[in-house]
Amino acid sequence: MTQDSFAAPGRLHWQLLAMATVWLLLALWTRLAGGLGCGPAILPALLLWTLILLAGSEASLLRRHLFIRACLEPQGMLARWLDRRTFLFLWQGGKALVLALVLLLALPLLRPPQWLLLLADILLLGGLLWALNRLLRGEVLDRYQAALARAWAQRVNAVLLWLGLLLSLLFTARHDYGGLALTEAMRHGTAQVQVGCDALAILVRGGAVLEAALWWSAQQLFTGLEGLPLTLLAWLGFIAAFGISFLVAWAWSRVLGGMLARPWRLGMARRTA
């Protein structure tokens, strides 16, 4: 059994508690954001970025280490160049920033059913990790087992969570934009969010505008639009809603994975291999 195995007795509870703590902190932030200054309001962004960076770096290091071990001579120039981590962390940091912003903009717009779904997803990811660790035991080298289980679990979890988010829309009450123009729907969307930090408020209101535009597009599809431009706009918005919801599911899976990720252990495994 690996040292950081999720399936270790007693460790499972601490891992679930750590992920639930992140959910609680983010839920509190969305409730209190209207009265917080920029300092406290930026802390969730840093938290999300750090956790997504940890998860992404671990997955990327795992792929790189496996490629080096399987295909390259350890002392070769290419192996030594790929073993450098500066570019990897810069690249992962940029991707983590995008995902963190997507999730940060989405969180204030989530309704109670979506928040409950994110909480339940912690148990889902925990179950996936437990099952994968058991399946990979004896099949994968110990030093890579936990990291590989986390990488696979995050992928499966993101797809299942995405489907759950789409289904939750059926049980979530939304404002009826059927009789409104697109600009009116956007104005209504911005009025629904309050953030005390002006700099962050610009981003969050931008997310609210986007969400209102997507819902307006989806609702207009079923009310008999006249004219090709509006019909195309509605279809594009409807399709974009699916893509954005997947980004939210992927970012949340990365956040939970980041609470468990140990990318530095892959570095030690590479040196001792």
Side-chain angles (χ1 to χ4, degrees):
M1 182 182 297
T2 57
Q3 290 182 347
D4 61 343
S5 174
F6 194 90
R11 193 171 181 82
L12 172 63
H13 303 87
W14 288 107
Q15 302 276 21
L16 292 174
L17 180 60
M19 291 188 287
T21 300
V22 173
W23 178 91
L24 180 60
L25 290 175
L26 294 173
L28 287 175
W29 173 75
T30 58
R31 295 294 301 271
L32 302 175
L36 295 178
C38 286
I42 293 299
L43 290 179
L46 294 177
L47 175 64
L48 293 175
W49 178 80
T50 301
L51 294 177
I52 294 173
L53 175 60
L54 287 173
S57 297
E58 182 180 63
S60 184
L61 281 171
L62 177 64
R63 291 192 299 269
R64 180 174 292 194
H65 288 182
L66 295 179
F67 174 73
I68 292 174
R69 286 179 58 82
C71 302
L72 303 180
E73 290 291 343
Q75 304 304 320
M77 181 181 65
L78 183 56
R80 292 197 303 270
W81 184 81
L82 287 177
D83 202 32
R84 297 175 181 175
R85 299 176 178 84
T86 302
F87 178 75
L88 180 146
F89 287 124
L90 288 175
W91 173 243
Q92 291 298 325
K95 293 196 298 183
L97 180 61
V98 173
L99 288 176
L101 288 176
V102 168
L103 193 54
L104 190 70
L105 299 183
L107 289 177
L109 306 175
L110 296 180
R111 270 59 174 184
Q114 282 86 44
W115 276 105
L116 291 176
L117 185 60
L118 294 184
L119 182 61
D121 184 62
I122 294 173
L123 296 176
L124 173 62
L125 182 61
L128 288 171
L129 287 166
W130 179 84
L132 284 170
N133 269 293
R134 291 182 63 87
L135 289 172
L136 295 177
R137 190 180 305 162
E139 303 291 340
V140 179
L141 294 174
D142 285 349
R143 57 180 172 269
Y144 296 127
Q145 177 191 314
L148 184 60
R150 283 191 286 267
W152 287 0
Q154 288 172 54
R155 289 176 171 85
V156 175
N157 181 76
V159 174
L160 295 177
L161 177 59
W162 176 52
L163 295 176
L165 288 173
L166 293 179
L167 288 175
S168 72
L169 299 180
L170 299 176
F171 306 98
T172 305
R174 297 282 176 171
H175 185 78
D176 184 9
Y177 295 124
L180 300 180
L182 178 57
T183 54
E184 294 174 328
M186 291 178 175
R187 282 196 296 269
H188 179 272
T190 58
Q192 306 308 305
V193 293
Q194 298 294 329
V195 178
C197 174
D198 291 339
L200 190 58
I202 295 175
L203 296 176
V204 175
R205 287 170 185 163
V209 166
L210 178 60
E211 187 200 38
L214 295 178
W215 274 104
W216 178 90
S217 300
Q219 292 176 8
Q220 295 300 322
L221 279 177
F222 305 103
T223 58
L225 281 179
E226 297 181 1
L228 182 62
L230 283 179
T231 303
L232 289 176
L233 180 63
W235 270 110
L236 288 174
F238 189 67
I239 294 171
F242 283 84
I244 292 174
S245 62
F246 180 78
L247 285 179
V248 172
W250 180 248
W252 179 248
S253 295
R254 284 296 204 198
V255 167
L256 297 184
M259 286 297 298
L260 314 176
R262 303 293 185 268
W264 54 87
R265 292 190 176 179
L266 286 174
M268 290 188 291
R270 169 79 177 122
R271 289 193 296 270
T272 57

